[in-house]
Amino acid sequence: MSALTHLECSFCGKKYEADELHTLCPACGKPLLARYDLKRVREEWSREDLAVRVASLWRYQEVLPVRNEENAISLGEGYTPLLRAEHLGKKLKMRNLFIKDEGLNPTGSFKARGLCMAISRAKELGVSEVVIPSAGNAAGAMAAYAAKAGMKAHVFMPQDVPLPFRLECEAYGAQVTLVPGLITDCGQQARQAAAKHDWFNVSTLKEPYRLEGKKTMGYELAEAFDWQLPDVIIYPTGGGTGLIGMWKAFAEMEALGWIGKDRPRMVVVQAQGCAPIPRAFEAREEFATPWENAATVAAGLRVPVAVGDFLILRAVRESNGTALAVSDDALVAAQKRMASREGIFACPEGGATLAALETLLAKGWLMPDETVVLFNTGSGLKYT
Ligand SMILES: *Cc1c(COP(=O)(O)O)cnc(C)c1O
């Protein structure tokens, strides 16, 4: 049973009723976060109870927003393997290098976590038609969950999206519109269409529940490491939903008494052709300025403006983490190494985390004896 109590603005702190549809904070235009009665959860639920729970992200249902089990639309998302990268680790003289393989989620990426939650909650609140702007993976995930929920789905994708992403959406029955330009242009069209037709827009962080789905990666990591979080998490960052979500999950778990105060250093990786967050991090800015002419093969990282930029930057700074950009050549080469050495056919975004790890080791920012988790956020198959 969900312990959801209300929504709270991540910027101005204003509170809102949870059981009505919301997008951004009406007062300041920033993302809303779901809040729970963690005191009650702490009294009624312990981490030992997880042993008998379902092997999907729904094992954490008390801290998820869906109230009625009938509305939980599931395709078996989450609870992905945390694999020890032995061969890559040996090469880098690291004993504790891990890859969280999100490519094994339904629809082949961790977008399934977020969209599963957004669609379930939208269904619970009476939505029948949804729209999304997406560089690829989010659209496929939304279309799949919308199909299972019996909702109509509309997708706005950049014209140059790899063909498999489009075919997948069409197979799930979504109406696909190809947009000349970037994800930001798709976002604008999705917004207009949503207003015109009264569709619910599930653009990331503009509705509060995709974050709740993605935060379960933080719960899973803690559980897999027996409640001792790793030293460093390297995360390929676009909109930053997963990173912000994990940071939120750590705070929740501390409130539940499941973990202590220690946190991993959070590392943002972007591509050199679109690196607004590393640029803002270095300039010590609270918000990132939009990146001009964004270009990278790692489509999930081609996000020139993120609504949650200040939340990403906050988590990186509070954790003593860092933000860096790697070249497309480096991330593609690393993607191949992950496949040939570890048997994981990663997406290019996943490859970027390995390229970043190598850079950080060379700079001495990270020591080989530290425990490091790389996030492979999706399967490489759709990019072929
Ligand atoms: C969307 C996406 C990302 C970026 O995820 P965020 O949590 O929005 O930063 C990274 N990799 C892949 C494969 C993606 O689809």
Side-chain angles (χ1 to χ4, degrees):
M1 285 265 273
S2 174
L4 180 68
T5 51
H6 62 278
L7 297 172
E8 185 182 287
C9 178
S10 57
F11 192 70
C12 73
K14 231 178 146 206
K15 291 180 179 170
Y16 298 92
E17 163 66 49
D19 291 304
E20 51 190 45
L21 280 178
H22 282 288
T23 49
L24 294 170
C25 174
C28 74
K30 299 295 183 205
L32 298 179
L33 301 176
R35 297 298 183 200
Y36 301 83
D37 183 353
L38 295 176
K39 234 196 213 141
R40 195 197 92 203
V41 177
R42 186 177 179 146
E43 282 160 14
E44 295 175 2
W45 189 38
S46 82
R47 61 189 199 193
E48 283 73 32
D49 298 337
L50 288 168
V52 295
R53 290 284 175 97
V54 58
S56 78
L57 58 72
W58 295 101
R59 63 201 276 105
Y60 311 108
Q61 60 171 347
E62 282 85 344
V63 288
L64 294 176
V66 175
R67 298 206 190 272
N68 184 341
E69 215 170 305
E70 276 170 27
N71 296 319
I73 309 296
S74 178
L75 295 166
E77 51 291 323
Y79 213 57
T80 54
L82 180 69
L83 303 166
R84 190 183 281 275
E86 244 169 286
H87 301 290
L88 288 172
K90 199 175 261 174
K91 188 107 199 298
L92 299 168
K93 301 193 166 46
M94 297 181 71
R95 284 245 222 101
N96 293 308
L97 176 62
F98 296 86
I99 299 173
K100 178 84 167 152
D101 192 6
E102 291 291 307
L104 290 156
N105 274 299
T107 70
S109 89
F110 72 160
K111 290 293 195 301
R113 292 181 187 264
L115 271 313
C116 146
M117 209 53 64
I119 294 296
S120 295
R121 205 45 194 146
K123 179 174 189 235
E124 189 153 76
L125 299 178
V127 170
S128 59
E129 214 157 336
V130 282
V131 59
I132 198 170
S134 164
N137 280 318
M142 182 197 74
Y145 287 96
K148 177 128 183 171
M151 284 182 199
K152 277 213 76 148
H154 305 271
V155 164
F156 289 84
M157 290 177 143
Q159 207 164 38
D160 60 355
V161 71
L163 186 63
F165 289 108
R166 197 184 96 206
L167 296 181
E168 182 192 20
C169 289
E170 288 169 352
Y172 292 130
Q175 182 200 47
V176 178
T177 307
L178 296 177
V179 178
L182 298 179
I183 181 76
T184 32
D185 304 297
C186 298
Q188 202 174 359
Q189 290 212 14
R191 227 167 18 249
Q192 285 164 356
K196 186 167 166 206
H197 305 286
D198 200 24
W199 299 336
F200 187 60
N201 189 348
V202 292
S203 179
T204 197
L205 285 171
K206 291 186 181 159
E207 69 81 54
Y209 300 117
R210 282 176 65 177
L211 183 85
E212 294 304 293
K214 273 195 175 174
K215 82 177 179 190
T216 57
M217 294 188 293
Y219 280 87
E220 286 177 26
L221 273 190
E223 199 183 343
F225 280 114
D226 202 18
W227 314 105
Q228 286 290 319
L229 294 172
D231 296 309
V232 175
I233 289 176
I234 306 188
Y235 186 84
T237 307
T241 317
L243 184 130
I244 300 165
M246 283 193 277
W247 196 244
K248 180 173 187 278
F250 299 151
E252 288 175 358
M253 282 187 283
E254 189 181 341
L256 292 173
W258 291 10
I259 61 168
K261 289 208 168 332
D262 291 346
R263 295 287 185 275
R265 300 187 331 266
M266 306 297 279
V267 177
V268 160
V269 192
Q270 293 194 312
Q272 280 169 3
C274 181
I277 301 296
R279 183 170 69 184
F281 177 74
E282 270 157 37
R284 299 197 166 79
E285 275 157 359
E286 186 184 7
F287 300 97
T289 38
W291 192 270
E292 303 283 333
N293 305 316
T296 166
V297 294
L301 309 186
R302 202 170 59 166
V303 182
V305 193
V307 247
D309 53 358
F310 66 104
L311 295 171
I312 304 171
L313 288 160
R314 258 187 222 169
V316 169
R317 291 189 176 119
E318 284 174 19
S319 73
N320 287 316
T322 190
L324 74 161
V326 297
S327 70
D328 272 21
D329 284 350
L331 68 86
V332 169
Q335 176 191 18
K336 288 183 181 151
R337 279 200 299 286
M338 218 182 252
S340 62
R341 302 261 158 81
E342 299 295 340
I344 297 170
F345 187 22
C347 56
E349 295 85 345
T353 63
L354 177 58
L357 170 67
E358 290 164 347
T359 306
L360 293 173
L361 277 168
K363 280 207 284 197
W365 187 86
L366 196 157
M367 294 298 135
D369 62 351
E370 294 190 280
T371 300
V372 177
V373 175
L374 308 179
F375 267 88
N376 174 39
T377 43
S379 161
L381 285 173
K382 287 192 211 171
Y383 298 75
T384 50

